[in-house]
Amino acid sequence: MADPLVLVDGVTKSFGREVVTEVLHGIDLELHAGEFTALVGPSGSGKSTLLNLLGLLDRPTSGRIVLGGRDTTGLDEGERTALRGRSLGFVFQFHHLLPAFTALENVMMPMLAARGREEPGMREKAFALLEEIGLADRASYGASKLSGGQQQRVAVARALVLDPPLVLADEPTGNLDTESGAQVFELLRRVSERHQTAFLVVTHDERIAARCDRVLTMVDGRVLSDERRTPA
């Protein structure tokens, strides 16, 4: 098997100084290119903490995280930010679009942030992604004029615009009705297959987990099971 896209090696995470609470206990994990993985478990099991560590938004107390072959342990904040920008996309339960901007402009935001200015080809790339998610006819719409499902699809396009090998999705369908949620999930699967993008999806929805290639179950800060399955 090819080298993992992400290697999590003996990772722990504790919070507090006078009273120390260990939230993650020796997590070992590999994620590979193109894998579509669900991360499930009860509230308080450590899913969000692990996602924050994988997203380089926080640092482990001990252990190491290797992303794209690069050990992140000794990186300073500038290096972590740069690695995050080129290696990771994020989709959250709440889309966090900027209401004053159009759908097209929202998709462009990561490119503008990375390069500091608009450059040739940016609008074309963002528009191509809107075409891929079926929203080309909404490119000029203000974000607030879109339905909840449409806004979440724009958030998916925004997460993909820098071609990250891994997308971290935290309850991406949790704020949507059943139909819109199913549409967003199908979009994620289609994108993963077409671009060989790896996805790690935190979800409480058993129907979503059943349709993933792999299901990681966390309980009390540990990965209790790692099941590979044929999607339902």
Side-chain angles (χ1 to χ4, degrees):
M1 182 177 289
D3 291 339
L5 179 61
V6 179
L7 171 67
V8 180
D9 180 21
V11 162
T12 70
K13 181 62 180 177
S14 300
F15 295 96
R17 293 185 178 180
E18 294 183 4
V19 177
V20 177
T21 302
E22 188 169 272
V23 176
L24 297 181
H25 313 283
I27 302 292
D28 295 311
L29 176 65
E30 292 184 3
L31 298 174
H32 291 267
E35 280 190 324
F36 202 99
T37 304
L39 181 61
V40 303
S43 297
S45 60
K47 300 186 302 298
S48 293
T49 300
L50 178 58
L51 209 67
N52 284 340
L53 296 180
L54 293 174
L56 305 183
L57 302 171
D58 200 358
R59 296 178 182 266
T61 302
S62 64
R64 65 191 183 114
I65 295 174
V66 180
L67 179 58
R70 188 169 187 187
D71 191 335
T72 64
T73 305
L75 300 183
D76 62 29
E77 287 306 312
E79 292 169 326
R80 287 165 65 85
T81 298
L83 182 59
R84 184 190 309 122
R86 65 175 178 267
S87 301
L88 300 169
F90 297 88
V91 181
F92 302 99
Q93 179 175 356
F94 299 99
H95 49 76
H96 300 299
L97 298 185
L98 299 174
F101 294 88
T102 66
L104 181 70
E105 290 165 341
N106 270 280
V107 176
M108 290 173 60
M109 284 300 168
M111 292 188 290
L112 293 170
R115 295 163 194 170
R117 64 185 185 278
E118 184 172 341
E119 295 179 355
M122 283 185 179
R123 287 183 179 269
E124 290 78 5
K125 184 172 185 179
F127 188 79
L129 279 168
L130 288 175
E131 284 187 311
E132 185 169 349
I133 66 171
L135 289 177
D137 62 338
R138 298 291 190 272
S140 63
Y141 281 45
S144 60
K145 302 297 184 182
L146 302 174
S147 70
Q150 289 171 339
Q151 291 180 39
Q152 192 65 316
R153 285 153 66 189
V154 171
V156 171
R158 180 182 59 190
L160 297 169
V161 77
L162 291 177
D163 302 310
L166 173 64
V167 173
L168 303 175
D170 192 0
E171 296 283 359
T173 64
N175 199 40
L176 302 175
D177 60 58
T178 301
E179 182 179 358
S180 296
Q183 290 174 350
V184 168
F185 179 77
E186 288 300 327
L187 170 63
L188 298 180
R189 291 286 336 211
R190 189 166 67 247
V191 164
S192 177
E193 292 167 4
R194 186 174 298 172
H195 299 280
Q196 278 298 290
T197 305
F199 279 79
L200 181 63
V201 181
V202 173
T203 182
H204 284 96
D205 191 331
E206 293 181 1
R207 296 167 300 179
I208 295 294
R211 299 173 69 185
C212 294
D213 305 318
R214 180 182 180 192
V215 180
L216 302 169
T217 301
M218 290 193 70
V219 176
D220 295 332
R222 294 179 171 85
V223 177
L224 188 67
S225 66
D226 182 352
E227 180 184 359
R228 297 179 186 275
R229 57 175 67 175
T230 302

